[in-house]
Amino acid sequence: QVQLVESGGGSVQAGGSLRLSCTASGYTHSTAYIAWFREFSGKDREGVAAIYTGSGDTKIPHSVKDRFTASLDNAGNTLTLQMNNLKPEDTAMYYCAFEPGRSLPGTMLAPESYRNWGKGTQVTVSS
């Protein structure tokens, strides 16, 4: 059974930085997709970073690409999202998502591509 351990998050002032990490375990596939999504109150989840562990292929949407970076650890099971120059509009619940294997039913930044989700961690950016 896949387990996702999320860490990071918290409160920061605008212009500050935060780092989120997600460690996956309990799977047998040699490759997987790991992603971070965020959910604004009452809105759909939005993908902010995704990586395929097999190739390192990384997707970050243009909306945050100049401020967010994603990296995979050497073990290939921890995705770290570095968020810089945070803005109040980045305030949201951030969720880790994980899908083992070599392909997804959808795109890497689409929430419907993932069956495994973390509990979420709150990011609050004050002005």
Side-chain angles (χ1 to χ4, degrees), residues 14-89:
S17 299
L18 285 174
R19 180 179 299 174
L20 306 180
S21 289
C22 174
T23 299
S25 62
Y27 60 100
T28 58
H29 292 74
S30 59
T31 59
Y33 295 83
I34 312 176
W36 277 102
F37 288 79
R38 62 185 180 184
E39 184 177 293
F40 304 107
S41 180
K43 300 286 182 70
D44 293 336
R45 291 185 182 180
E46 172 191 50
V48 293
I51 195 164
Y52 173 55
T53 66
S55 63
D57 184 27
T58 304
K59 304 293 184 188
I60 299 178
H62 288 295
S63 58
V64 297
K65 199 164 191 174
D66 60 338
R67 301 184 294 119
F68 290 11
T69 58
S71 60
L72 187 67
D73 73 333
N74 290 334
N77 66 340
T78 297
L79 175 63
T80 296
L81 178 67
Q82 178 67 42
M83 304 183 292
N84 298 324
N85 190 23
L86 283 162
K87 304 176 181 180
E89 50 264 42

Side-chain angles (χ1 to χ4, degrees), residues 83-108:
M83 304 183 292
N84 298 324
N85 190 23
L86 283 162
K87 304 176 181 180
E89 50 264 42
D90 294 316
T91 295
M93 184 70 79
Y94 284 69
Y95 294 90
C96 178
F98 179 88
E99 188 64 29
R102 297 182 178 181
S103 64
L104 292 173
T107 65
M108 289 172 63

